[in-house]
Amino acid sequence: MIRRLKLRELVRRPLLLLFAGLMAGLPARASADNFPDRPIQLVVPAGPGSSTDSIMRSLAQAAAPMMGQSIVILNRPGASGIIGVSFVTRSEPDGYTLAGVTNGALTMAPHVASAPFQPSDYRIVAMITEATGVLCVHPEFPVNTAQEFLTELRNNPDKYTYGSDGVGAFVQFSTARIFDPLSIRQRMIPYQGADQTLTAFLSKAIDIYAGAVGNISPFVAEGKAKCLLLTRARRYQGLPNVESLTDVKMPQAETRLWRAVVAPRDMPQDRFDKLRDIFLKAAMTPEFKALAEKRGEEVWDISAEEANKFAQDEFVQMGQLAKELHLNQN
């Protein structure tokens, strides 16, 4: 009888250990399947009330119900977006810390200021919107076409000022791609964001507005601005009379403004796929699309592979431009 009990115990003990091991693995699996099980932090490397902040708050509002968790916006402005992106790339790659950024922070600013990250340190979860930049002047400015505008700038070096959204940001690079081949030299005044640039233009502290088309469009309708040239190769339906770079035979100088959700590189693929699916669905909601359209932006639905390749190619192009213009301080 004693021998029989010992034999049963010998057989039972390994089975109990095996069962315990299986049970120990269940929480990890459940955690992965139930992601996210706590709020997600979306870092916006721009100040509250900025265009990027507004777009990303709207996206978060649309995505949160689908996520089953709140999405908390954390504003970390500074260094043309580098501070915010750096915070995210150094975060745990668990899907709970993401960035809502513009391309300037990813593909432009790192070539002008020292950035503690490379394209290999992050992945674009989803492209959200894309838009054009535009160059505008005051109504009394003595030209009326894009070609006249470029000729006036080329013939009068350093006569005019234009505002930018910071050193190493979208405006500096997009205007350089147009001005440099034409030997145009005008004075760039860096501000801390697009809103400050717009305010400076409307108060006539600067001669030329350069920036996102959505910011300036309402003032074109009011007769307070005259827009002459887009920064992309095709025209924008919201301002159909404004010429594109193709119209002035410079389609190769196109620079688009785009916004994306970004994650640390090593985030698990199942979480990456889930976040991508939800953010793309959120961007397609009528409420979000209406806000994007109001701001002159279009939802940009491309694959993850296309998005990351586009960003990497732009990073290389902007790096080459920074070297040619001697902007590189790294």
Side-chain angles (χ1 to χ4, degrees), residues 45 89 93 98 230 307:
T89 56
L98 309 170
L230 303 175

Side-chain angles (χ1 to χ4, degrees), residues 47-65:
S50 64
S51 56
T52 301
D53 178 72
S54 298
I55 284 283
M56 291 303 164
R57 285 183 188 275
S58 178
L59 182 71
Q61 185 176 11

Side-chain angles (χ1 to χ4, degrees), residues 5-17:
L5 288 172
K6 285 184 177 178
L7 182 60
R8 282 182 187 171
E9 189 66 24
L10 288 172
V11 173
R12 186 182 174 196
R13 193 169 293 169
L15 289 174
L16 288 172
L17 290 172

Side-chain angles (χ1 to χ4, degrees), residues 54-76:
S54 298
I55 284 283
M56 291 303 164
R57 285 183 188 275
S58 178
L59 182 71
Q61 185 176 11
M66 306 178 201
M67 204 82 72
Q69 291 288 339
S70 60
I71 301 175
V72 180
I73 301 293
L74 175 62
N75 296 97
R76 292 185 71 92

Side-chain angles (χ1 to χ4, degrees), residues 51-52 54-55 128-134 170 209 211-220 230-232 234-240 255-259 287-300:
S51 56
T52 301
S54 298
I55 284 283
I128 302 301
T129 63
E130 66 98 6
T132 181
V134 67
F170 173 79
Y209 169 85
V213 69
N215 292 339
I216 194 71
S217 291
F219 301 99
V220 176
L230 303 175
T231 67
R232 73 177 182 185
R234 61 185 175 90
R235 292 202 181 195
Y236 166 59
Q237 63 180 4
L239 294 173
T255 311
R256 285 183 277 179
L257 173 70
W258 47 266
R259 306 185 198 277
E287 295 80 9
F288 181 82
K289 290 178 75 173
L291 175 67
E293 183 178 348
K294 183 179 179 180
R295 292 185 170 275
E297 304 186 25
E298 301 170 332
V299 173
W300 195 14

